């Protein structure tokens, strides 16, 4: 994930936060959906490696987005909330994944890809300001990080997303 995070930061700077987040989510989701139909072990390994390279692109864009919508004095608690939500997903995801894996290998990846694709497809609508343009730096108000994060429906939803994952896989 380290190299992908650096690439994600560069993509965020050059191409924008929204395109990077959408690219990461939909690219990773496409790989997850493909995994539902693959049975060759070598191809499964290759797809998991590709997925592991695509999904971390999201992290620097999401962190920059939080920095854009949260007042400077409230960044530390805002990033703490973001980290706690991500860690909750990392803990709960494999447990739910193991439960689903018991029934079907394919359903695990179909649900993972489908649920996350909804968030990826919703990003262009939910991350836009009133003008229809992606939010710009400094858009935060003085109402504090809680209000800024709660007011932003997409970030709140992404923070609470619990992605179904196969046991032993990681997610940035």
């Amino acid at each position: 994930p380290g190299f992908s995070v650096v690439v994600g930061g560069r993509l965020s700077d050059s191409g924008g936060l929204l395109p990077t987040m959408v690219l990461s989510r939909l690219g990773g989701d496409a790989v997850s959906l493909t995994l539902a139909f693959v049975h060759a072990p070598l191809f499964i390994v290759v797809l998991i490696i590709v997925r592991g390279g695509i999904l971390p692109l999201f992290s620097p864009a999401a962190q920059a987005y939080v920095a854009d919508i949260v007042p400077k004095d409230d960044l530390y608690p805002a990033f703490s909330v973001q980290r706690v939500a991500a860690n909750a997903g990392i803990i709960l995801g494999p447990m739910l994944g193991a439960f689903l894996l018991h029934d079907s290998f394919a359903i695990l990846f179909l649900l993972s890809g489908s649920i996350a694709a909804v968030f990826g497809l919703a990003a262009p609508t939910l991350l836009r300001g009133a003008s229809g343009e992606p939010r710009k730096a400094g858009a935060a108000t003085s109402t504090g990080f809680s209000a800024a994060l709660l007011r932003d429906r997409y970030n709140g939803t992404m923070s609470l997303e619990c992605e179904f994952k196969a046991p032993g896989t990681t997610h940035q």
Side-chain angles (χ1 to χ4, degrees):
F3 179 73
S4 293
V5 170
V6 171
V7 172
R10 184 71 176 131
L11 283 174
S12 296
D13 290 342
S14 63
L17 301 177
L18 179 63
T20 302
M21 286 191 272
V22 171
L23 170 75
S24 171
R25 295 308 311 180
L26 295 181
D29 305 335
V31 174
S32 289
L33 290 171
T34 304
L35 279 165
F37 303 103
V38 173
H39 301 289
L42 181 60
F43 196 48
I44 290 171
V45 169
V46 169
L47 286 174
I48 289 174
I49 290 170
V50 168
R51 185 176 185 264
I54 293 173
L55 287 177
L57 299 173
F58 182 87
S59 183
Q63 291 173 354
Y65 182 73
V66 168
D68 287 352
I69 67 166
V70 174
K72 185 178 180 180
D73 293 340
D74 294 323
L75 285 176
Y76 183 77
F79 285 126
S80 297
V81 168
Q82 188 180 36
R83 241 4 267 164
V84 167
N87 287 336
I90 289 168
I91 291 167
L92 297 175
M95 289 190 295
L96 292 172
F99 175 75
L100 290 172
L101 188 60
H102 183 275
D103 292 331
S104 168
F105 179 78
I107 194 75
L108 177 73
F109 290 105
L110 283 172
L111 281 175
S112 174
S114 298
I115 290 169
V118 169
F119 293 113
L121 292 170
T125 301
L126 298 177
L127 288 179
R128 293 182 187 273
S131 68
E133 294 296 316
R135 294 194 174 127
K136 305 287 187 220
T141 64
S142 61
T143 58
F145 84 93
S146 297
L149 287 176
L150 290 174
R151 198 171 45 249
D152 185 330
R153 295 174 296 176
Y154 180 76
N155 189 57
T157 305
M158 283 303 296
S159 295
L160 297 175
E161 173 190 4
C162 181
E163 183 176 336
F164 301 106
K165 297 178 290 192
T169 62
T170 59
H171 178 59
Q172 182 68 15

